[in-house]
Amino acid sequence: PELDLWNQNFAIMLMQSTFASIIGAILYFVVLSDRKSAFSILLVLGIIAPAIAVFPYYLHEALEVENEYIKVVAPTLSMVTLLRLVETLYGFSPIAMESNVTSFMLYYGCPVECVYDENSPRRASREEKLHGLK
């Protein structure tokens, strides 16, 4: 099988994840301090959201992507980032992710949901191990 498709897909997802992490850092320092200010709303809805929405399409043009699969699948991270952007603006982002800039960047850059547990890492109890074997 050809690996070019998967290499291109991985490279595009990595670039989008990096872009989303940078957006997360900007939001951490600018928006989290004052979510309801006019500047925060203008920054999020007027500049960052449109930039996130068009980023994958400009990326496809710059990299000359011709594969239809990549053109359809690659914008999914941008759509997840847009949803996270709105939840951050309106105060619904996870409190644990807002604790420091690294966690917030990880939250924005990760294409899947981040589960944060204050007790982790912890060892599984004997009951949990036995329950996993059933």
Side-chain angles (χ1 to χ4, degrees):
E2 293 288 328
L3 292 178
D4 289 341
L5 169 74
W6 300 109
N7 290 338
Q8 287 176 355
N9 197 17
F10 177 74
I12 288 174
M13 291 297 281
L14 185 64
M15 285 184 239
Q16 286 184 327
S17 181
T18 303
F19 180 67
S21 294
I22 293 168
I23 295 294
I26 293 169
L27 291 175
Y28 183 82
F29 290 113
V30 176
V31 174
L32 285 184
S33 61
D34 190 18
R35 289 185 169 136
K36 298 300 178 186
S37 72
F39 177 73
S40 294
I41 294 171
L42 180 65
L43 178 70
V44 169
L45 298 178
I47 298 172
I48 296 177
I52 290 171
V54 299
F55 180 73
Y57 302 106
Y58 284 122
L59 191 62
H60 293 163
E61 291 296 320
L63 298 177
E64 299 177 359
V65 174
E66 295 179 5
N67 191 310
E68 294 298 321
Y69 166 77
I70 293 177
K71 286 183 179 182
V72 170
V73 172
T76 56
L77 182 58
S78 292
M79 298 307 126
V80 170
T81 304
L82 281 172
L83 294 172
R84 290 180 180 170
L85 188 69
V86 171
E87 75 180 8
T88 298
L89 182 63
Y90 292 106
F92 292 104
S93 57
I95 302 297
M97 295 299 167
E98 295 179 3
S99 62
N100 59 27
V101 69
T102 307
S103 296
F104 207 66
M105 288 175 70
L106 175 67
Y107 177 64
Y108 264 83
C110 188
V112 295
E113 286 295 319
C114 297
V115 177
Y116 184 81
D117 182 16
E118 291 183 7
N119 297 328
S120 65
R122 65 177 179 83
R123 298 184 74 97
S125 68
R126 181 182 171 129
E127 292 80 22
E128 290 171 335
K129 290 178 186 176
L130 291 175
H131 181 12
L133 293 175
K134 293 181 182 179

